Amino acid sequence: MRLEQFDRRVLGAVRFVDSTTGLPVATPLSVRASGLEFVRNLSGHYVIARAVGLEEHTPAFEKPPVAPALGSLTFEIRVADPGRDYLPRRQKIKLPRDPDPKNLSTSDSLFRAIEVRLFPAATAFTGVGWAVIRASVLKKGTNQPLSGALLRVTKKNGVPADETKPLGIGLTDNRGEALVAVPGIPVTTFGEGDGEVTTNEIEVTMKAFFDPNAGALPDPDDLEARRAELKSTAIDTKLGSGRVVAVQFEIEL
């Protein structure tokens, strides 16, 4: 018996994380993209083993080809969770990645996994003490559910609210329903303004954004980047540790 060694250079990796906790998604996912071949490794990363247009890159180690230019090729990933704890989504990635070890800290480094957030399904597990928002999004004046609407939760006193870092973020399913979880709200916190010194609630603004041209499978990162251009509506409410809030949005299209 003869042993042969086959060496090949990977082209990058994708790491899927929970949008609420930021922790890696450990369960196997269905990941596909036209022109790409993925291999799931023991760390749960989806390694890009082959890419159309980068055939000369995989056998090159010491000196990767200079063409095509870094980030000049765009591929669209489509991911789904067979366990249905997370909603399906799509996201665009750019190849080739930067192979220079000196640029390890940059976002397009070959040595850093591309991070993709997955959003919980409306029936997903929620942690103890989390504030939970169960939302439905409808076309205004109808009972038509809006699938793929983006939901953002920010502190009400943010100035302006939409520019503050969101406390929670979610996405509606094909029934127009979404779960947005906000972990880490203290049981008792300091009040704001002229009210009580301590309180067990925080005031938030919840906003729903919708793009009627986004298609059946949304790219949440694209929606978030373009949210100022999208149809939207907002609701103010209060959240508390361990509480569930039900809200309904109506967006005029």
Side-chain angles (χ1 to χ4, degrees):
M1 182 177 66
R2 185 178 63 179
L3 297 178
E4 294 188 56
Q5 181 175 339
F6 294 90
D7 293 325
R8 62 189 350 262
R9 178 171 171 266
V10 301
L11 304 172
V14 180
R15 174 177 179 261
F16 296 96
V17 299
D18 184 292
S19 64
T20 302
T21 64
L23 296 176
V25 175
T27 55
L29 303 167
S30 171
V31 183
R32 57 190 177 89
S34 178
L36 297 182
E37 179 184 321
F38 292 97
V39 177
R40 186 175 186 267
N41 67 14
L42 295 177
S43 298
H45 292 171
Y46 291 76
V47 176
I48 305 170
R50 288 189 178 89
V52 172
L54 297 179
E55 290 82 2
E56 300 300 319
H57 283 241
T58 52
F61 288 89
E62 294 185 4
K63 190 175 181 181
V66 295
L70 297 180
S72 60
L73 302 182
T74 300
F75 300 87
E76 186 174 82
I77 295 176
R78 292 174 176 253
V79 56
D81 176 18
R84 299 186 179 182
D85 289 324
Y86 296 96
L87 297 176
R89 66 161 294 174
R90 58 186 172 87
Q91 171 151 338
K92 292 180 179 179
I93 65 170
K94 293 184 179 297
L95 298 177
R97 309 276 286 170
D98 188 346
D100 190 340
K102 296 178 182 178
N103 298 329
L104 179 62
S105 62
T106 61
S107 61
D108 65 343
S109 171
L110 174 64
F111 305 100
R112 296 184 62 179
I114 301 167
E115 192 167 282
V116 177
R117 296 178 298 174
L118 295 185
F119 293 78
T123 56
F125 165 83
T126 58
V128 176
W130 291 6
V132 175
I133 301 162
R134 298 197 177 275
S136 61
V137 183
L138 305 174
K139 179 181 177 181
K140 188 172 183 178
T142 74
N143 289 322
Q144 177 184 334
L146 297 181
S147 171
L150 179 74
L151 302 178
R152 296 180 89 248
V153 181
T154 57
K155 290 191 70 173
K156 185 178 178 181
N157 293 331
V159 183
D162 281 344
E163 297 307 318
T164 62
K165 183 178 180 180
L167 300 173
I169 191 165
L171 198 68
T172 58
D173 58 20
N174 56 7
R175 301 170 299 171
E177 297 182 0
L179 182 152
V180 184
V182 181
I185 297 179
V187 175
T188 302
T189 186
F190 290 102
E192 297 179 346
D194 298 327
E196 298 179 358
V197 175
T198 61
T199 181
N200 58 2
E201 299 175 324
I202 62 170
E203 296 184 353
V204 299
T205 296
M206 297 183 294
K207 202 162 187 178
F209 302 85
F210 184 70
D211 181 359
N213 300 314
L217 191 63
D219 179 346
D221 293 340
D222 175 62
L223 294 178
E224 189 166 13
R226 297 187 298 108
R227 66 183 185 272
E229 310 166 8
L230 305 182
K231 304 288 186 180
S232 65
T233 188
I235 295 175
D236 290 338
T237 190
K238 295 180 180 180
L239 300 180
S241 176
R243 297 187 191 176
V244 178
V245 175
V247 295
Q248 179 174 290
F249 295 91
E250 292 190 357
I251 298 180
E252 186 172 2
L253 301 182

